[in-house]
Amino acid sequence: FGASLEERIRDRRIGGRGLTVRRIDDLDAVPVCDVLFVAGVDVGLEQAILLRAREAGSLTVGERRGFARAGGVIEFYREGTSVRFEINPDAARAAGIQLSSQILSLARITPGAAPDGRRDP
């Protein structure tokens, strides 16, 4: 989804603010941003990124199966030829993000994960 996302947001603006795609490959480079798309990293690094993003209040988006269950906010997945998304409302709350009921109604909701990414008992 990364290249597709980059192409779709090129030259777009939201609320007068431009959208930028930056590729990072190290935890120290994780910027404070509104939306962070996490892809192609090992699970250990992913957890560290999710923690840092949560502390910064960033919306985390990923495509790895289990991303939302691991503590990411939004996970894209394929269903046939369609792209769908799954939301982890507990991860959103932990990052201080309020999701609208309209977006929640469109998503598959992930059973809660604790703010540190561990599964609730």
Side-chain angles (χ1 to χ4, degrees):
F1 294 112
S4 206
L5 175 68
E6 192 169 359
E7 183 178 319
R8 298 215 26 126
I9 69 166
R10 186 174 298 129
D11 301 323
R12 298 261 176 129
R13 300 184 79 70
I14 295 177
R17 297 173 65 182
L19 302 174
T20 303
V21 173
R22 278 190 252 160
R23 297 184 186 275
I24 57 173
D25 59 4
D26 130 1
L27 185 58
D28 292 329
V30 173
V32 174
C33 58
D34 295 322
V35 180
L36 183 62
F37 186 82
V38 182
V41 298
D42 68 57
V43 176
L45 179 57
E46 179 182 277
Q47 281 303 302
I49 291 169
L50 289 175
L51 178 60
R52 215 172 258 190
R54 186 179 308 106
E55 291 168 351
S58 298
L59 173 71
T60 52
V61 181
E63 61 186 355
R64 180 185 65 77
R65 175 179 237 151
F67 179 79
R69 288 180 187 268
V73 178
I74 297 175
E75 174 185 330
F76 289 116
Y77 65 94
R78 291 191 187 274
E79 189 173 85
T81 59
S82 300
V83 175
R84 307 268 189 232
F85 62 100
E86 184 170 325
I87 291 180
N88 180 332
D90 294 331
R93 272 190 296 282
I97 298 168
Q98 185 173 0
L99 300 170
S100 74
S101 58
Q102 186 175 20
I103 193 101
L104 289 169
S105 72
L106 297 172
R108 180 171 72 187
I109 304 300
T110 297
D116 63 2
R118 290 178 295 148
R119 298 290 307 139
D120 288 340

